[in-house]
Amino acid sequence: MTELLPLLLAGAIAFGVTMYVLLDGFDLGVGILFPFADTEDDRDRMMNSLAPIWDGNETWLVLGGAVLFGAFPKAFGILTAAFYLPIMLMLIALVFRGVAFEYRFKFRSRWPWNLAFCAGSMVAAFAQGVILGAYVRGASGVDHQFHWFGVFPLFTGVAVVIAYALLGAAWLNMKTDGPLAILMRRRARMLLVASLGCIAVVSVWTPLLEPAIAARWFSLPNLFVLAPIPVATAVTGWLVWYGLRDDSHDAMAFVASVVLFLITLGGLAISLWPWIVPRSLTIWQAASPPESQIFLGVGLAAILPFVLAYTAHNYWVFRGKVPTGSGYH
């Protein structure tokens, strides 16, 4: 049980982070695409496609952080101290987004709120990408130092902005129609090419940075076992492209873009396993006492079904396209 509990709770953190990245990913992506809309009415529809669900998406970020704090307190302390500045930038950016959601529709002059929504989305996405890049590189030294201000973390910051924008464009293609959907399909094709390019660069760059990751992917028999992952990435990228041909496959394009994200996150998980503080602490080394983990596990088992049910119900109620002139506000 003492071996299994940290594994289950690490899985819960991975699940929460994945749900946040996917759900808040297209949410942030819509904000990143805000300047590319042709009219204020288009921006109204873009925001209205998110307004009923955006705050629920961030529930998963809170859940992942809470489980990390309770189940792996040593890792929580190291990671929050190491990434204090990008985490604070991300949280401040999310506050700007939230204020823009509430106040944009209440003012005649909307450009300040448009700026807050777009800038908040871009900064939050970039900060998340920087944290991811530094996390993949791992900690160094006995004091677990992360170097997040470097070329690789900055590149992954830009890559996450591009990838979130792809999710946002695919979401808007599915949720809107007319000229706005056509515009988003064009943007999504360009963003898909850019995202696949970023995936390729990171896939080559990461093993060059860390010999342990290179050994994980290119040693035998791992090479043959993991070979389907890049193949699946290419096939999924083609499905996204195919779904973006016209509006008859808009749901397929969005689902395929989500799957593309899942494959990418799965590849990162394979590269980092079993580290929770990469190259420094495994999930078992950073685990809290079994009593704390049991308490947390029972709480998760009680709460998680309600969070999942709420999320599913929310998306079901607000399914369908957002027509011009109507919306949450």
Side-chain angles (χ1 to χ4, degrees):
M1 180 64 73
T2 57
E3 293 291 316
L4 183 59
L5 276 173
L7 186 61
L8 293 175
L9 290 171
I13 294 172
F15 179 72
V17 170
T18 300
M19 290 293 290
Y20 171 76
V21 166
L22 295 179
L23 299 181
D24 213 41
F26 70 77
D27 189 334
L28 293 169
V30 170
I32 293 166
L33 293 167
F34 228 52
F36 299 100
D38 292 329
T39 65
E40 269 318 300
D41 288 339
D42 284 345
R43 281 184 274 273
D44 289 347
R45 293 178 73 191
M46 292 168 72
M47 187 170 277
N48 278 322
S49 75
L50 300 174
I53 57 174
W54 72 275
D55 46 356
N57 293 341
E58 294 174 357
T59 302
W60 296 101
L61 180 63
V62 176
L63 184 141
V67 177
L68 179 63
F69 174 75
F72 307 98
K74 188 172 183 179
F76 181 87
I78 292 169
L79 295 174
T80 52
F83 298 119
Y84 180 81
L85 182 56
I87 288 173
M88 288 305 299
L89 286 174
M90 179 189 72
L91 295 177
I92 292 169
L94 292 176
V95 169
F96 271 81
R97 277 172 45 84
V99 172
F101 261 114
E102 297 303 325
Y103 284 94
R104 182 178 175 275
F105 289 92
K106 303 181 187 297
F107 287 81
R108 186 181 301 274
S109 177
R110 295 182 174 177
W111 71 264
W113 310 111
N114 292 343
L115 178 62
F117 186 57
C118 177
S121 301
M122 292 190 71
V123 171
F126 181 75
Q128 290 174 24
V130 168
I131 293 169
L132 175 64
Y135 184 78
V136 169
R137 288 200 65 179
S140 61
V142 293
D143 53 351
H144 313 290
Q145 288 294 315
F146 284 86
H147 303 286
W148 56 264
F149 195 74
V151 177
F152 182 73
L154 294 177
F155 176 82
T156 55
V158 173
V160 168
V161 171
I162 293 170
Y164 280 178
L166 169 63
L167 282 177
W171 168 261
L172 290 170
N173 176 51
M174 182 177 69
K175 294 291 289 183
T176 63
D177 52 19
L180 179 57
I182 294 171
L183 174 64
M184 289 303 134
R185 279 199 294 276
R186 291 201 302 265
R187 295 286 181 263
R189 293 189 194 102
M190 294 185 292
L191 290 164
L192 173 62
V193 173
S195 295
L196 290 173
C198 290
I199 291 171
V201 171
V202 171
S203 299
V204 173
W205 200 341
T206 305
L208 294 176
L209 282 174
E210 290 297 333
I213 295 177
R216 176 71 55 86
W217 283 89
F218 299 115
S219 62
L220 295 177
N222 292 4
L223 179 62
F224 298 111
V225 174
L226 300 176
I229 293 178
V231 175
T233 302
V235 171
T236 306
W238 179 84
L239 288 174
V240 177
W241 184 272
Y242 181 83
L244 292 170
R245 294 186 311 162
D246 51 51
D247 59 0
S248 62
H249 300 88
D250 51 9
M252 186 182 80
F254 177 69
V255 171
S257 65
V258 169
V259 172
L260 185 63
F261 241 88
L262 287 173
I263 294 171
T264 305
L265 292 173
L268 290 173
I270 291 170
S271 298
L272 297 173
W273 174 259
W275 305 105
I276 193 166
V277 179
R279 267 76 66 187
S280 185
L281 289 175
T282 67
I283 59 174
W284 293 280
Q285 291 171 333
S288 59
E291 296 80 6
S292 299
Q293 299 224 331
I294 291 171
F295 179 81
L296 193 59
V298 171
L300 267 178
I303 293 171
L304 196 57
F306 290 99
V307 178
L308 286 168
Y310 162 79
T311 302
H313 176 73
N314 205 18
Y315 278 83
W316 175 257
V317 168
F318 294 101
R319 68 190 183 278
K321 294 186 180 291
V322 179
T324 304
S326 66
Y328 178 74
H329 287 83

